[in-house]
Amino acid sequence: MYVRLFLTLALASLLVFSGLLYSALSSSRAALIKQKSADMTLFLERTGQYLDLYLQNIRNILINAAADMDQKLLSDPAKLQSALQGYIAPNGTIISHMFVLKQDGTVISSNQLAYDIVGHAELPKIARVANENPGLVNWSEPYYTPLQVGQTIAFALALKGGSGILLAEINTAQLTKRLNELLYKSGQGFALFTGNGNIVSYNPYSTIVPYKPATLPPEMEDRFTEELTKLPNGVSRIQGASGPLMAVKSKRYELSWYLVTLADERKFNEAGHSLYIRFLTIGGLWFSLLIVLTLVISRHFTTPINRLALQMNRVRGERVAVQPRQIERGDEIGRLTQSFYTMMGRIQELLQTVKENEERKKEIELQLLVNQIRPHFLYNTLACIGSLAKQHRVLEVEDTIRSLIELLTYSIGKSDHAPLEEELHSLRAYVQIQKVRYGELFHYVEEIDPGLSGIPVPKLILQPLVENSIFHGIAGKGAGTVRIRAIAEDRQLKLTVRDDGQGMTRSQIEETLGSLTAEAAKSGEQNQVAGTPHGIGLFNVQERIRINYGLPYGLHIRSEPGRWTEVTISLPLPQA
């Protein structure tokens, strides 16, 4: 209660101080942000105009030069080189080198000596792009050129008649210099990159951008470059070299390039630093006073209620039976405490009654389910023994009675569970009785993992399934095999009864699964003398599993009509 009271008063005070602080700082911060936004917007507009003119100038240079490239000029390398140098002379701030790639593979450069010495591996790649788009000015992604010893971009235009390709490499150093001139210097930077995320130009000496160590000129960190290229258009926030930066990304220009301008957010906070300190000092004094006031109020009014709340918090789940410590008081809080203790006593009595009733109900349900199988099976077995006696088959009568005694001894034991090995032993006795009754109609096979023999399972959980396999699967077909398998899989014990009898259709499986209700069991009682029908046998197994382990476990039926049926029981494995 003390904490809540303090937090309430602190929150109210915080709202008041926040409003005052916001009103004091909003004007200065808003003015600075407005100025920075105006600067960055102006730079974007100027840069956009400059890049559009930049592209237009390059197009004009290439188109004009291509118009002069006749066969006579192309056949004279010296004059062609002189002509290329003539195009560069007035446009040196835009273009650094020009090339003509002739149809026969010959390359004429505006600086033929340098080209002959260092070569240029990228020209054939760019030429292929230009050949694929004749009549259009094409441009490449940024690449390293040995002639400039740095990054550049090439613009290319196919010459008339397929006589060759005219290429021009831009002067990236001059482009960067021009963009720096357009940008205000204080706490800002920029990055120009293509639509594929490749950097065209950036300010290599900005103090707010993180650079790789030991690079000259400085190169931006790969992580920072990747984040820049993924920024959405508009205003964003990104982490810089020494703090957060405000980033403004432009839309795509005609060149399919993007521009990002960066501003240091610390500039926004410097103006209001002194106001922050003053308000924080006042706020600290006020919160200290709040602590004292809240402590006084808590001691006089809220401590008794807090103690009672602590007692109530102890009452959770099974802890409802814990006897609370009484608080002796003669006021309203004392009467409330006494009522709470009276209520707790009544709840404990009701919980104990409900627990006893649930345990008794569970015992009765399990006993009824187990007893559903015994009467009709006992009747059929005794009838079989009587028939054997009339036929004077004494040995078979003895074996059948011995097996019946084993089954009855196993089923009427005090515990509802037994190890898997005992369940299988009881099942073998049941199978022996059925073999006496049906002869060699069926074969019985076990495939059991020895490590699972000690796991406890509900008694008589397999016998109804084997009974169904014999009566409804193999008997209808005339002969077959009943196979029992036990494996551990997915933290579950999987017990499978499979027969190669007449099988079931999908509709029969769905009807059988859908009938596993109490109504199905009731309807099955009418035909117990003739043998356990699907309804009562499967219902019995399913209900016993549900009562013992819950809904996630139970039966699963698979079958192929005319060939086989497989019923799998899923039970939880004991915790290690």
Side-chain angles (χ1 to χ4, degrees):
M1 184 64 73
Y2 166 75
V3 175
R4 291 181 181 178
L5 182 60
F6 172 74
L7 290 178
T8 302
L9 295 177
L11 180 59
S13 301
L14 182 62
L15 292 175
V16 174
F17 274 99
S18 298
L20 294 176
L21 184 61
Y22 176 78
S23 62
L25 297 177
S26 59
S27 57
S28 59
R29 184 179 177 86
L32 186 57
I33 293 177
K34 183 178 180 181
Q35 182 61 45
K36 287 289 184 182
S37 300
D39 292 346
M40 298 172 78
T41 303
L42 180 61
F43 175 68
L44 291 175
E45 292 177 355
R46 290 178 177 178
T47 304
Q49 295 172 1
Y50 177 76
L51 291 176
D52 290 340
L53 292 174
Y54 192 85
L55 174 61
Q56 189 60 44
N57 287 337
I58 295 176
R59 282 176 173 170
N60 292 338
I61 293 170
L62 290 176
I63 292 172
N64 292 334
D68 296 337
M69 298 291 173
D70 53 17
Q71 290 298 328
K72 182 178 180 181
L73 181 60
L74 292 173
S75 61
D76 189 339
K79 290 184 178 180
L80 182 56
Q81 180 182 353
S82 177
L84 294 177
Q85 293 174 348
Y87 295 126
I88 293 177
N91 300 294
T93 58
I94 301 177
I95 296 175
S96 60
H97 293 85
M98 293 186 70
F99 306 88
V100 173
L101 277 71
K102 294 184 181 180
Q103 207 171 24
D104 58 1
T106 304
V107 177
I108 304 299
S109 171
S110 57
N111 189 346
Q112 192 67 33
L113 178 60
Y115 174 78
D116 291 338
I117 295 174
V118 300
H120 201 311
E122 297 293 329
L123 294 182
K125 302 177 185 178
I126 303 169
R128 284 196 297 268
V129 177
N131 279 323
E132 294 172 358
N133 300 279
L136 299 177
V137 175
N138 304 274
W139 51 88
S140 68
E141 290 293 313
Y143 62 89
Y144 175 83
T145 171
L147 298 180
Q148 294 188 48
V149 193
Q151 293 286 107
T152 188
I153 292 177
F155 289 77
L157 178 65
L159 298 176
K160 294 181 293 184
S163 56
I165 303 296
L166 178 63
L167 297 99
E169 289 184 338
I170 67 171
N171 191 332
T172 51
Q174 289 295 328
L175 175 61
T176 301
K177 179 181 178 182
R178 179 55 181 159
L179 293 178
N180 275 324
E181 293 173 354
L182 294 173
L183 181 67
Y184 293 100
K185 297 180 180 179
S186 177
Q188 294 194 93
F190 76 91
L192 180 66
F193 53 91
T194 68
N196 292 329
N198 297 313
I199 295 293
V200 178
S201 176
Y202 63 94
N203 182 2
Y205 303 106
S206 174
T207 58
I208 64 175
V209 174
Y211 296 106
K212 297 179 182 178
T215 56
L216 191 65
E219 297 180 9
M220 289 192 296
E221 290 183 355
D222 295 336
R223 184 270 311 169
F224 186 75
T225 302
E226 183 179 358
E227 291 181 3
L228 282 180
T229 58
K230 292 181 179 180
L231 289 176
N233 290 340
V235 180
S236 302
R237 201 166 185 258
I238 189 171
Q239 189 67 26
S242 57
L245 305 177
M246 183 175 73
V248 180
K249 183 178 180 181
S250 70
K251 63 182 179 180
R252 181 177 294 190
Y253 295 111
E254 189 175 354
L255 284 165
S256 297
W257 293 352
Y258 291 94
L259 179 67
V260 177
T261 55
L262 304 168
D264 193 347
E265 286 193 1
R266 290 178 299 177
K267 297 292 183 180
F268 304 156
N269 302 323
E270 291 176 357
H273 183 69
S274 60
L275 288 177
Y276 271 119
I277 298 300
R278 185 176 302 173
F279 272 90
L280 288 176
T281 302
I282 297 174
L285 295 174
W286 174 247
F287 277 98
S288 300
L289 180 60
L290 276 182
I291 293 175
V292 175
L293 292 176
T294 306
L295 182 60
V296 172
I297 296 173
S298 176
R299 284 184 174 180
H300 286 82
F301 302 103
T302 62
T303 299
I305 298 177
N306 190 31
R307 290 178 181 175
L308 181 60
L310 290 175
Q311 296 293 332
M312 292 181 176
N313 288 336
R314 297 177 60 195
V315 183
R316 292 179 180 175
E318 295 297 328
R319 298 182 65 185
V320 72
V322 177
Q323 182 65 31
R325 184 178 59 187
Q326 295 195 11
I327 302 174
E328 299 295 338
R329 291 181 65 96
D331 56 7
E332 291 81 359
I333 296 177
R335 290 194 293 272
L336 177 62
T337 304
Q338 187 60 41
S339 298
F340 170 69
Y341 296 148
T342 303
M343 178 187 68
M344 286 301 303
R346 180 57 179 162
I347 290 176
Q348 291 175 6
E349 293 176 2
L350 292 175
L351 286 177
Q352 184 63 28
T353 301
V354 170
K355 184 177 180 181
E356 292 175 356
N357 290 340
E358 287 295 328
E359 290 177 354
R360 181 58 182 163
K361 178 182 177 183
K362 182 176 179 180
E363 292 176 359
I364 294 173
E365 287 181 347
L366 286 173
Q367 193 62 38
L368 287 175
L369 289 170
V370 173
N371 290 337
Q372 281 182 334
I373 297 177
R374 296 172 185 160
H376 81 274
F377 171 71
L378 185 60
Y379 177 89
N380 291 337
T381 303
L382 293 176
C384 179
I385 293 172
S387 176
L388 292 173
K390 290 180 181 179
Q391 301 175 39
H392 304 287
R393 296 163 65 178
V394 178
L395 294 179
E396 293 177 351
V397 169
E398 291 180 356
D399 291 341
T400 304
I401 293 175
R402 187 181 302 110
S403 297
L404 179 61
I405 291 173
E406 290 180 4
L407 270 176
L408 293 176
T409 302
Y410 175 73
S411 64
I412 64 177
K414 293 182 179 180
S415 176
D416 293 321
H417 288 70
L420 179 60
E421 177 57 36
E422 293 185 13
E423 174 71 9
L424 294 173
H425 181 75
S426 170
L427 187 60
R428 295 184 197 112
Y430 170 79
V431 170
Q432 191 276 332
I433 294 173
Q434 298 302 337
K435 277 191 171 292
V436 170
R437 182 179 179 185
Y438 290 99
E440 296 302 320
L441 176 72
F442 69 94
H443 297 285
Y444 174 77
V445 179
E446 290 183 0
E447 297 175 358
I448 308 299
D449 185 347
L452 304 176
S453 60
I455 295 178
V457 298
K459 284 185 176 180
L460 300 177
I461 200 74
L462 294 173
Q463 183 261 323
L465 306 185
V466 173
E467 187 175 7
N468 278 341
S469 294
I470 296 172
F471 296 161
H472 301 286
I474 295 175
K477 195 173 182 179
T481 300
V482 178
R483 194 176 302 273
I484 309 298
R485 185 170 66 249
I487 60 172
E489 182 178 272
D490 297 333
R491 299 182 181 179
Q492 294 182 0
L493 174 64
K494 300 293 183 68
L495 302 175
T496 302
V497 178
R498 181 185 177 100
D499 66 76
D500 52 3
Q502 60 185 2
M504 302 171 65
T505 64
R506 180 179 296 275
S507 61
Q508 287 175 325
I509 293 175
E510 293 176 354
E511 182 180 354
T512 300
L513 291 175
S515 65
L516 298 184
T517 60
E519 289 77 12
K522 292 178 182 179
S523 64
E525 292 175 359
Q526 299 173 0
N527 298 317
Q528 287 179 355
V529 176
T532 304
H534 280 294
I536 186 173
L538 295 183
F539 170 77
N540 184 284
V541 174
Q542 181 82 329
E543 282 297 288
R544 291 174 66 196
I545 295 173
R546 179 189 64 80
I547 293 174
N548 278 286
Y549 306 110
L551 293 178
Y553 304 97
L555 296 177
H556 178 68
I557 303 175
R558 298 171 58 236
S559 182
E560 185 174 340
R563 299 190 63 183
W564 54 269
T565 299
E566 182 178 273
V567 182
T568 300
I569 298 174
S570 298
L571 303 176
L573 285 173
Q575 296 294 330

